[in-house]
Amino acid sequence: MIAAGAASVGPHIFWITSRAAGTAALVLSSASVGAGLLIGRRAGPGKGLGGDAKAFHEALSLATLVAIAIHGLALLGDHFLHPTLLDISIPFTGAYRPFWTGAGIVAGWALAALGLSYYARGRIGQSRWRSLHRTTAVFWILGIVHSLGSGTDAGQPWFLLVLAVSAAPALVLLLGRLIRAPAQPSISR
Amino acid sequence: MDDPHRLEAKGLARAKIRGKRRRVREIRRRTIRGSLALFATAWAIVFGQLVTGNDPALSRGYTTPRKLIASKHHGRPPPSAPLPAPEESAEVPAVPVEPESAPEAEFAPELETAPAPEPAPAPEPVVTSAS
C-alpha cells in the first residue's frame, strides 16, 4: 500500500518538500525569535550563557533562512502549480492565493534581510541595527499569518498543534517585552 | 622572559576561547541535526497524509487553486492519491465545487423516458377522499 501510495505521490515530491520546509521554517523562526527575546531579556546578568544563547539564536536564524529558501525554491519543481521564479520571489504576483502568498514572500525577504544584516552591523551601526533587528518579530508574525492564510495544512490538527507549541512561548516573550518596553526605555540601549 | 603568572593567564584565556569555540560548534551541529530531524518529520507527516488519502489539498470537497490550476492549465486531473470519504473533509470549499456528475447521469434517462411531469394526479385522490 505504501509502495502504491509512494508511486502516486511521486509527482508531488516538490510540493511535499515545500510544505515540510515551510513547517520547519515556522518552528525554527519561532524558536529563533524566542531565543532572541530571551537574549534581550537577559541584557545584564548571566554572562555565562550569553555566548551560547547567541550562537543558538544565530544557528536557528540561519536554519530558518535555509528552510524558507527551500520552501520557495521547491515550488519551482512542482508540475501542478508550476510557478515561475517571479511568482515565488515578487509578492502579490502569483496565481496561488496572491495576497497570502505575497505576505509570505514579504516576510521571507524581510527575515532574510534582517537576519543577514547581523553580519553588516558594523557598517549599519550597532544601535541602528538593533532597532532594525527588533522589527524581525513583525515579519515572523507575518510568516505565521501567511502559513494560516495559504498553508495547505493550516486546518490540520497536527499543524495547529505544532504552531501553538512553537509560537506560543515566543509570543508570550514578545508580549512581555512589549509590556515592559514603555516602562524601561533605557534598558535596550 | 614572560612572567609565569602571565603565561598561565594566557593559557587559561586560550583554553577558554577554545572551549567557547567548541561549544559554539556543538550548538551549530545540534541545531543542524535538529532542523534536519524537524524537516524529515514534517515531510513524513505530509507524505503520510498523501499516501493515506487524508491530504487537505487533494481531498474531495476542497477545491484548492492547486486543483484548478492543474485542471485548467495542464489539462491534468487531480493527482491519483486515494480520496477520503466526503465526511472526512471538514473544510469549507474555497471555491464552489461542481456537483458530482454521477447523479446527473442517473436522472437524465428518467427525464427522457417520462418527460411529462404529472402534478395533477397527486392532488386528485386527496380531493376525492376529503369530499
Short mmCIF file of all heavy atoms in Angstrom, two decimals, chain A residues 99-162:
data_model
loop_
_atom_site.label_atom_id
_atom_site.label_comp_id
_atom_site.label_asym_id
_atom_site.label_seq_id
_atom_site.Cartn_x
_atom_site.Cartn_y
_atom_site.Cartn_z
N PHE A 99 -2.64 37.18 -2.22
CA PHE A 99 -2.46 38.01 -1.03
C PHE A 99 -1.67 37.28 0.04
O PHE A 99 -0.65 37.80 0.56
CB PHE A 99 -3.82 38.47 -0.47
CG PHE A 99 -3.68 39.28 0.79
CD1 PHE A 99 -3.27 40.60 0.73
CD2 PHE A 99 -3.91 38.72 2.03
CE1 PHE A 99 -3.11 41.34 1.89
CE2 PHE A 99 -3.76 39.44 3.19
CZ PHE A 99 -3.36 40.76 3.12
N TRP A 100 -2.11 36.07 0.37
CA TRP A 100 -1.46 35.32 1.46
C TRP A 100 -0.06 34.89 1.06
O TRP A 100 0.87 34.90 1.89
CB TRP A 100 -2.30 34.11 1.84
CG TRP A 100 -3.67 34.47 2.34
CD1 TRP A 100 -4.86 34.19 1.74
CD2 TRP A 100 -3.99 35.21 3.54
NE1 TRP A 100 -5.89 34.70 2.50
CE2 TRP A 100 -5.39 35.32 3.60
CE3 TRP A 100 -3.22 35.77 4.56
CZ2 TRP A 100 -6.05 35.98 4.63
CZ3 TRP A 100 -3.87 36.43 5.60
CH2 TRP A 100 -5.26 36.52 5.62
N THR A 101 0.08 34.48 -0.19
CA THR A 101 1.41 34.09 -0.66
C THR A 101 2.32 35.31 -0.69
O THR A 101 3.50 35.23 -0.31
CB THR A 101 1.32 33.45 -2.06
OG1 THR A 101 0.30 32.46 -2.03
CG2 THR A 101 2.62 32.80 -2.47
N GLY A 102 1.76 36.44 -1.11
CA GLY A 102 2.54 37.68 -1.14
C GLY A 102 3.01 38.06 0.25
O GLY A 102 4.16 38.51 0.43
N ALA A 103 2.13 37.87 1.22
CA ALA A 103 2.52 38.17 2.61
C ALA A 103 3.70 37.30 3.03
O ALA A 103 4.63 37.77 3.70
CB ALA A 103 1.33 37.93 3.54
N GLY A 104 3.66 36.05 2.61
CA GLY A 104 4.76 35.14 2.93
C GLY A 104 6.06 35.55 2.26
O GLY A 104 7.13 35.46 2.86
N ILE A 105 5.95 36.01 1.01
CA ILE A 105 7.15 36.42 0.28
C ILE A 105 7.76 37.66 0.95
O ILE A 105 8.98 37.75 1.14
CB ILE A 105 6.82 36.69 -1.21
CG1 ILE A 105 6.41 35.38 -1.89
CG2 ILE A 105 8.02 37.29 -1.93
CD1 ILE A 105 5.81 35.55 -3.28
N VAL A 106 6.89 38.60 1.32
CA VAL A 106 7.38 39.80 2.02
C VAL A 106 8.08 39.40 3.31
O VAL A 106 9.20 39.86 3.62
CB VAL A 106 6.20 40.77 2.32
CG1 VAL A 106 6.63 41.88 3.27
CG2 VAL A 106 5.66 41.37 1.02
N ALA A 107 7.44 38.49 4.06
CA ALA A 107 8.01 38.04 5.33
C ALA A 107 9.35 37.35 5.10
O ALA A 107 10.32 37.58 5.83
CB ALA A 107 7.04 37.11 6.04
N GLY A 108 9.40 36.52 4.07
CA GLY A 108 10.64 35.79 3.77
C GLY A 108 11.80 36.71 3.45
O GLY A 108 12.89 36.57 4.00
N TRP A 109 11.53 37.66 2.56
CA TRP A 109 12.60 38.61 2.17
C TRP A 109 13.04 39.45 3.36
O TRP A 109 14.23 39.70 3.57
CB TRP A 109 12.13 39.53 1.05
CG TRP A 109 12.17 38.92 -0.32
CD1 TRP A 109 11.13 38.79 -1.19
CD2 TRP A 109 13.31 38.35 -0.99
NE1 TRP A 109 11.53 38.19 -2.35
CE2 TRP A 109 12.87 37.90 -2.26
CE3 TRP A 109 14.64 38.16 -0.64
CZ2 TRP A 109 13.72 37.28 -3.18
CZ3 TRP A 109 15.50 37.54 -1.56
CH2 TRP A 109 15.04 37.13 -2.81
N ALA A 110 12.05 39.90 4.15
CA ALA A 110 12.37 40.75 5.30
C ALA A 110 13.18 39.98 6.34
O ALA A 110 14.16 40.51 6.89
CB ALA A 110 11.08 41.28 5.92
N LEU A 111 12.79 38.73 6.58
CA LEU A 111 13.54 37.93 7.56
C LEU A 111 14.96 37.69 7.07
O LEU A 111 15.91 37.71 7.86
CB LEU A 111 12.83 36.59 7.81
CG LEU A 111 11.52 36.67 8.63
CD1 LEU A 111 10.87 35.30 8.73
CD2 LEU A 111 11.76 37.22 10.03
N ALA A 112 15.10 37.48 5.76
CA ALA A 112 16.44 37.27 5.20
C ALA A 112 17.29 38.53 5.36
O ALA A 112 18.43 38.47 5.80
CB ALA A 112 16.33 36.88 3.73
N ALA A 113 16.69 39.66 5.01
CA ALA A 113 17.44 40.92 5.08
C ALA A 113 17.81 41.26 6.54
O ALA A 113 18.96 41.61 6.82
CB ALA A 113 16.60 42.05 4.49
N LEU A 114 16.82 41.12 7.42
CA LEU A 114 17.08 41.47 8.82
C LEU A 114 18.04 40.48 9.48
O LEU A 114 18.88 40.86 10.29
CB LEU A 114 15.76 41.52 9.60
CG LEU A 114 14.82 42.67 9.21
CD1 LEU A 114 13.44 42.46 9.82
CD2 LEU A 114 15.39 44.00 9.67
N GLY A 115 17.89 39.23 9.11
CA GLY A 115 18.77 38.21 9.70
C GLY A 115 20.21 38.38 9.24
O GLY A 115 21.14 38.35 10.05
N LEU A 116 20.37 38.59 7.94
CA LEU A 116 21.74 38.70 7.40
C LEU A 116 22.38 40.05 7.71
O LEU A 116 23.60 40.19 7.61
CB LEU A 116 21.72 38.44 5.89
CG LEU A 116 21.30 37.01 5.49
CD1 LEU A 116 21.18 36.89 3.97
CD2 LEU A 116 22.27 35.97 6.03
N SER A 117 21.55 41.02 8.09
CA SER A 117 22.10 42.33 8.45
C SER A 117 23.00 42.24 9.69
O SER A 117 23.80 43.13 9.95
CB SER A 117 20.97 43.34 8.69
OG SER A 117 20.28 43.02 9.88
N TYR A 118 22.88 41.13 10.41
CA TYR A 118 23.74 40.91 11.58
C TYR A 118 25.22 40.98 11.19
O TYR A 118 26.05 41.49 11.94
CB TYR A 118 23.40 39.54 12.18
CG TYR A 118 24.32 39.08 13.28
CD1 TYR A 118 24.21 39.63 14.57
CD2 TYR A 118 25.29 38.12 13.06
CE1 TYR A 118 25.05 39.22 15.59
CE2 TYR A 118 26.13 37.70 14.07
CZ TYR A 118 26.01 38.25 15.33
OH TYR A 118 26.84 37.84 16.34
N TYR A 119 25.51 40.47 9.98
CA TYR A 119 26.90 40.42 9.53
C TYR A 119 27.37 41.76 8.97
O TYR A 119 28.54 41.90 8.61
CB TYR A 119 27.07 39.30 8.50
CG TYR A 119 26.64 37.97 9.07
CD1 TYR A 119 25.41 37.41 8.74
CD2 TYR A 119 27.44 37.31 10.00
CE1 TYR A 119 25.00 36.21 9.30
CE2 TYR A 119 27.02 36.12 10.57
CZ TYR A 119 25.80 35.58 10.23
OH TYR A 119 25.39 34.41 10.81
N ALA A 120 26.44 42.69 8.86
CA ALA A 120 26.82 44.02 8.36
C ALA A 120 26.56 45.08 9.43
O ALA A 120 26.46 46.27 9.12
CB ALA A 120 26.03 44.34 7.10
N ARG A 121 26.45 44.65 10.68
CA ARG A 121 26.07 45.62 11.72
C ARG A 121 27.17 46.63 11.99
O ARG A 121 26.91 47.71 12.52
CB ARG A 121 25.63 44.93 13.00
CG ARG A 121 26.68 44.14 13.72
CD ARG A 121 26.02 43.32 14.82
NE ARG A 121 27.00 42.70 15.70
CZ ARG A 121 27.73 41.65 15.39
NH1 ARG A 121 27.62 41.10 14.20
NH2 ARG A 121 28.60 41.16 16.24
N GLY A 122 28.38 46.29 11.61
CA GLY A 122 29.48 47.24 11.75
C GLY A 122 29.25 48.46 10.86
O GLY A 122 29.49 49.60 11.27
N ARG A 123 28.77 48.18 9.66
CA ARG A 123 28.51 49.27 8.70
C ARG A 123 27.23 50.02 9.06
O ARG A 123 27.15 51.24 8.92
CB ARG A 123 28.34 48.70 7.29
CG ARG A 123 29.64 48.43 6.62
CD ARG A 123 29.37 48.10 5.18
NE ARG A 123 30.49 47.39 4.59
CZ ARG A 123 30.47 46.81 3.43
NH1 ARG A 123 29.37 46.82 2.71
NH2 ARG A 123 31.51 46.20 2.94
N ILE A 124 26.24 49.24 9.45
CA ILE A 124 24.93 49.84 9.75
C ILE A 124 25.00 50.70 11.01
O ILE A 124 24.37 51.76 11.10
CB ILE A 124 23.86 48.73 9.92
CG1 ILE A 124 23.68 47.95 8.61
CG2 ILE A 124 22.51 49.31 10.34
CD1 ILE A 124 22.90 46.68 8.75
N GLY A 125 25.77 50.23 11.94
CA GLY A 125 25.82 50.90 13.25
C GLY A 125 25.03 50.06 14.25
O GLY A 125 23.90 49.65 13.94
N GLN A 126 25.65 49.82 15.39
CA GLN A 126 25.08 48.89 16.36
C GLN A 126 23.65 49.27 16.79
O GLN A 126 22.76 48.42 16.79
CB GLN A 126 26.00 48.82 17.59
CG GLN A 126 25.68 47.68 18.54
CD GLN A 126 26.09 46.33 17.98
OE1 GLN A 126 26.93 46.24 17.07
NE2 GLN A 126 25.50 45.27 18.49
N SER A 127 23.45 50.53 17.13
CA SER A 127 22.14 50.92 17.66
C SER A 127 21.08 50.90 16.55
O SER A 127 19.94 50.48 16.78
CB SER A 127 22.20 52.30 18.31
OG SER A 127 22.55 53.25 17.35
N ARG A 128 21.48 51.32 15.35
CA ARG A 128 20.53 51.30 14.23
C ARG A 128 20.18 49.85 13.89
O ARG A 128 19.03 49.53 13.61
CB ARG A 128 21.16 51.99 13.02
CG ARG A 128 20.12 52.36 11.98
CD ARG A 128 20.73 53.08 10.81
NE ARG A 128 21.34 54.35 11.18
CZ ARG A 128 22.23 55.00 10.43
NH1 ARG A 128 22.65 54.48 9.30
NH2 ARG A 128 22.73 56.14 10.81
N TRP A 129 21.21 49.01 13.90
CA TRP A 129 20.97 47.60 13.60
C TRP A 129 20.01 46.99 14.63
O TRP A 129 19.11 46.24 14.28
CB TRP A 129 22.29 46.82 13.59
CG TRP A 129 22.05 45.34 13.46
CD1 TRP A 129 21.75 44.69 12.31
CD2 TRP A 129 22.00 44.38 14.50
NE1 TRP A 129 21.54 43.35 12.58
CE2 TRP A 129 21.69 43.14 13.92
CE3 TRP A 129 22.21 44.44 15.87
CZ2 TRP A 129 21.58 41.97 14.65
CZ3 TRP A 129 22.10 43.28 16.62
CH2 TRP A 129 21.79 42.07 16.00
N ARG A 130 20.22 47.33 15.90
CA ARG A 130 19.36 46.79 16.95
C ARG A 130 17.90 47.19 16.75
O ARG A 130 17.01 46.36 16.86
CB ARG A 130 19.83 47.29 18.32
CG ARG A 130 20.40 46.18 19.11
CD ARG A 130 20.81 46.60 20.46
NE ARG A 130 21.93 45.79 20.87
CZ ARG A 130 22.61 45.98 21.95
NH1 ARG A 130 22.32 46.98 22.74
NH2 ARG A 130 23.60 45.19 22.26
N SER A 131 17.70 48.46 16.45
CA SER A 131 16.30 48.89 16.27
C SER A 131 15.70 48.25 15.02
O SER A 131 14.52 47.94 14.99
CB SER A 131 16.19 50.41 16.24
OG SER A 131 17.14 50.94 15.36
N LEU A 132 16.53 48.03 14.00
CA LEU A 132 16.07 47.32 12.80
C LEU A 132 15.74 45.87 13.14
O LEU A 132 14.72 45.33 12.72
CB LEU A 132 17.18 47.32 11.74
CG LEU A 132 17.15 48.37 10.64
CD1 LEU A 132 18.38 48.19 9.76
CD2 LEU A 132 15.90 48.26 9.79
N HIS A 133 16.63 45.28 13.91
CA HIS A 133 16.51 43.85 14.25
C HIS A 133 15.23 43.57 15.04
O HIS A 133 14.68 42.47 14.95
CB HIS A 133 17.73 43.41 15.04
CG HIS A 133 17.87 41.92 15.12
ND1 HIS A 133 18.16 41.14 14.03
CD2 HIS A 133 17.76 41.06 16.17
CE1 HIS A 133 18.21 39.87 14.40
NE2 HIS A 133 17.97 39.79 15.70
N ARG A 134 14.79 44.56 15.78
CA ARG A 134 13.57 44.37 16.58
C ARG A 134 12.33 44.18 15.72
O ARG A 134 11.37 43.57 16.16
CB ARG A 134 13.37 45.57 17.51
CG ARG A 134 14.15 45.38 18.78
CD ARG A 134 13.84 46.45 19.78
NE ARG A 134 15.01 46.61 20.62
CZ ARG A 134 15.72 47.71 20.74
NH1 ARG A 134 15.37 48.79 20.08
NH2 ARG A 134 16.78 47.75 21.51
N THR A 135 12.37 44.70 14.50
CA THR A 135 11.20 44.55 13.62
C THR A 135 11.07 43.11 13.09
O THR A 135 10.07 42.79 12.44
CB THR A 135 11.26 45.53 12.43
OG1 THR A 135 12.46 45.26 11.70
CG2 THR A 135 11.26 46.97 12.88
N THR A 136 12.07 42.29 13.36
CA THR A 136 12.02 40.89 12.91
C THR A 136 10.73 40.23 13.38
O THR A 136 10.12 39.44 12.63
CB THR A 136 13.24 40.12 13.45
OG1 THR A 136 14.42 40.80 13.06
CG2 THR A 136 13.28 38.70 12.93
N ALA A 137 10.33 40.55 14.61
CA ALA A 137 9.13 39.91 15.18
C ALA A 137 7.89 40.18 14.33
O ALA A 137 7.03 39.31 14.20
CB ALA A 137 8.91 40.41 16.61
N VAL A 138 7.83 41.38 13.75
CA VAL A 138 6.67 41.73 12.90
C VAL A 138 6.60 40.77 11.71
O VAL A 138 5.52 40.26 11.36
CB VAL A 138 6.79 43.19 12.42
CG1 VAL A 138 5.68 43.54 11.43
CG2 VAL A 138 6.77 44.15 13.59
N PHE A 139 7.75 40.52 11.11
CA PHE A 139 7.77 39.67 9.91
C PHE A 139 7.62 38.19 10.26
O PHE A 139 7.14 37.40 9.46
CB PHE A 139 9.03 39.96 9.09
CG PHE A 139 9.04 41.36 8.58
CD1 PHE A 139 9.83 42.34 9.16
CD2 PHE A 139 8.20 41.73 7.54
CE1 PHE A 139 9.79 43.64 8.71
CE2 PHE A 139 8.16 43.03 7.08
CZ PHE A 139 8.96 43.99 7.67
N TRP A 140 8.04 37.85 11.47
CA TRP A 140 7.79 36.49 11.95
C TRP A 140 6.27 36.27 12.08
O TRP A 140 5.75 35.23 11.64
CB TRP A 140 8.49 36.30 13.30
CG TRP A 140 8.04 35.09 14.06
CD1 TRP A 140 8.19 33.78 13.70
CD2 TRP A 140 7.36 35.08 15.32
NE1 TRP A 140 7.64 32.98 14.66
CE2 TRP A 140 7.13 33.74 15.67
CE3 TRP A 140 6.92 36.08 16.20
CZ2 TRP A 140 6.49 33.37 16.85
CZ3 TRP A 140 6.29 35.72 17.37
CH2 TRP A 140 6.08 34.38 17.69
N ILE A 141 5.59 37.26 12.63
CA ILE A 141 4.12 37.16 12.76
C ILE A 141 3.48 37.13 11.37
O ILE A 141 2.54 36.37 11.13
CB ILE A 141 3.57 38.34 13.61
CG1 ILE A 141 3.99 38.12 15.06
CG2 ILE A 141 2.05 38.43 13.51
CD1 ILE A 141 3.74 39.28 15.98
N LEU A 142 4.03 37.92 10.45
CA LEU A 142 3.52 37.90 9.07
C LEU A 142 3.69 36.51 8.45
O LEU A 142 2.82 36.04 7.70
CB LEU A 142 4.24 38.96 8.24
CG LEU A 142 3.64 39.29 6.88
CD1 LEU A 142 2.25 39.87 7.02
CD2 LEU A 142 4.53 40.27 6.11
N GLY A 143 4.78 35.87 8.79
CA GLY A 143 5.01 34.49 8.32
C GLY A 143 3.96 33.54 8.87
O GLY A 143 3.47 32.65 8.15
N ILE A 144 3.61 33.73 10.13
CA ILE A 144 2.57 32.89 10.73
C ILE A 144 1.23 33.13 10.04
O ILE A 144 0.50 32.19 9.72
CB ILE A 144 2.45 33.17 12.26
CG1 ILE A 144 3.72 32.71 12.97
CG2 ILE A 144 1.23 32.48 12.86
CD1 ILE A 144 3.77 33.06 14.44
N VAL A 145 0.95 34.41 9.79
CA VAL A 145 -0.30 34.78 9.09
C VAL A 145 -0.32 34.12 7.71
O VAL A 145 -1.34 33.57 7.29
CB VAL A 145 -0.42 36.31 8.99
CG1 VAL A 145 -1.53 36.73 8.04
CG2 VAL A 145 -0.66 36.92 10.37
N HIS A 146 0.82 34.16 7.03
CA HIS A 146 0.94 33.53 5.70
C HIS A 146 0.65 32.03 5.80
O HIS A 146 -0.07 31.47 4.98
CB HIS A 146 2.35 33.78 5.15
CG HIS A 146 2.82 32.78 4.16
ND1 HIS A 146 2.37 32.73 2.86
CD2 HIS A 146 3.72 31.75 4.28
CE1 HIS A 146 2.99 31.73 2.22
NE2 HIS A 146 3.79 31.12 3.07
N SER A 147 1.20 31.38 6.82
CA SER A 147 1.01 29.93 6.95
C SER A 147 -0.45 29.60 7.21
O SER A 147 -0.96 28.58 6.73
CB SER A 147 1.89 29.38 8.06
OG SER A 147 1.35 29.68 9.33
N LEU A 148 -1.13 30.45 7.96
CA LEU A 148 -2.54 30.19 8.25
C LEU A 148 -3.43 30.56 7.06
O LEU A 148 -4.46 29.94 6.85
CB LEU A 148 -2.98 30.97 9.50
CG LEU A 148 -2.36 30.49 10.82
CD1 LEU A 148 -2.70 31.44 11.95
CD2 LEU A 148 -2.81 29.08 11.17
N GLY A 149 -3.01 31.57 6.31
CA GLY A 149 -3.82 32.01 5.17
C GLY A 149 -3.68 31.18 3.93
O GLY A 149 -4.65 30.91 3.23
N SER A 150 -2.45 30.74 3.64
CA SER A 150 -2.26 29.99 2.39
C SER A 150 -1.67 28.61 2.62
O SER A 150 -1.46 27.88 1.65
CB SER A 150 -1.38 30.79 1.43
OG SER A 150 -0.07 30.84 1.91
N GLY A 151 -1.40 28.25 3.83
CA GLY A 151 -0.83 26.93 4.09
C GLY A 151 -1.84 25.84 3.82
O GLY A 151 -2.98 25.92 4.28
N THR A 152 -1.41 24.84 3.09
CA THR A 152 -2.30 23.72 2.76
C THR A 152 -2.70 22.97 4.04
O THR A 152 -3.81 22.47 4.15
CB THR A 152 -1.57 22.76 1.81
OG1 THR A 152 -1.09 23.51 0.71
CG2 THR A 152 -2.48 21.66 1.31
N ASP A 153 -1.79 22.93 4.99
CA ASP A 153 -2.05 22.17 6.21
C ASP A 153 -2.60 23.05 7.33
O ASP A 153 -2.68 22.60 8.48
CB ASP A 153 -0.74 21.51 6.68
CG ASP A 153 -0.19 20.58 5.63
OD1 ASP A 153 -0.90 19.64 5.26
OD2 ASP A 153 0.94 20.80 5.15
N ALA A 154 -2.97 24.27 6.99
CA ALA A 154 -3.39 25.22 8.04
C ALA A 154 -4.53 24.72 8.90
O ALA A 154 -4.60 25.03 10.08
CB ALA A 154 -3.77 26.55 7.40
N GLY A 155 -5.40 23.91 8.33
CA GLY A 155 -6.54 23.42 9.11
C GLY A 155 -6.28 22.09 9.79
O GLY A 155 -7.15 21.57 10.50
N GLN A 156 -5.10 21.54 9.58
CA GLN A 156 -4.81 20.22 10.14
C GLN A 156 -4.45 20.32 11.63
O GLN A 156 -3.67 21.19 12.02
CB GLN A 156 -3.63 19.60 9.38
CG GLN A 156 -3.91 19.35 7.92
CD GLN A 156 -4.98 18.29 7.72
OE1 GLN A 156 -4.85 17.16 8.13
NE2 GLN A 156 -6.09 18.68 7.11
N PRO A 157 -5.00 19.41 12.43
CA PRO A 157 -4.72 19.47 13.87
C PRO A 157 -3.23 19.41 14.21
O PRO A 157 -2.76 20.13 15.08
CB PRO A 157 -5.46 18.25 14.43
CG PRO A 157 -6.48 17.91 13.42
CD PRO A 157 -5.95 18.33 12.10
N TRP A 158 -2.49 18.56 13.48
CA TRP A 158 -1.07 18.43 13.79
C TRP A 158 -0.33 19.74 13.54
O TRP A 158 0.55 20.13 14.31
CB TRP A 158 -0.43 17.29 12.99
CG TRP A 158 -0.32 17.52 11.51
CD1 TRP A 158 -1.20 17.15 10.56
CD2 TRP A 158 0.75 18.20 10.81
NE1 TRP A 158 -0.78 17.55 9.31
CE2 TRP A 158 0.42 18.18 9.43
CE3 TRP A 158 1.94 18.80 11.20
CZ2 TRP A 158 1.23 18.76 8.46
CZ3 TRP A 158 2.75 19.37 10.23
CH2 TRP A 158 2.39 19.34 8.87
N PHE A 159 -0.75 20.44 12.48
CA PHE A 159 -0.09 21.70 12.14
C PHE A 159 -0.40 22.77 13.18
O PHE A 159 0.49 23.50 13.63
CB PHE A 159 -0.52 22.16 10.75
CG PHE A 159 0.13 23.44 10.31
CD1 PHE A 159 1.40 23.43 9.76
CD2 PHE A 159 -0.50 24.66 10.48
CE1 PHE A 159 2.02 24.61 9.38
CE2 PHE A 159 0.10 25.84 10.09
CZ PHE A 159 1.37 25.81 9.54
N LEU A 160 -1.67 22.81 13.58
CA LEU A 160 -2.07 23.81 14.57
C LEU A 160 -1.38 23.55 15.92
O LEU A 160 -1.00 24.48 16.62
CB LEU A 160 -3.60 23.81 14.73
CG LEU A 160 -4.37 24.27 13.48
CD1 LEU A 160 -5.86 24.08 13.67
CD2 LEU A 160 -4.06 25.73 13.15
N LEU A 161 -1.21 22.26 16.21
CA LEU A 161 -0.52 21.90 17.46
C LEU A 161 0.95 22.35 17.40
O LEU A 161 1.47 22.95 18.34
CB LEU A 161 -0.62 20.38 17.69
CG LEU A 161 0.00 19.88 18.98
CD1 LEU A 161 -0.88 20.26 20.18
CD2 LEU A 161 0.17 18.36 18.94
N VAL A 162 1.57 22.04 16.27
CA VAL A 162 2.98 22.44 16.08
C VAL A 162 3.11 23.96 16.18
O VAL A 162 4.01 24.48 16.85
CB VAL A 162 3.52 21.92 14.72
CG1 VAL A 162 4.83 22.60 14.35
CG2 VAL A 162 3.71 20.42 14.77
#
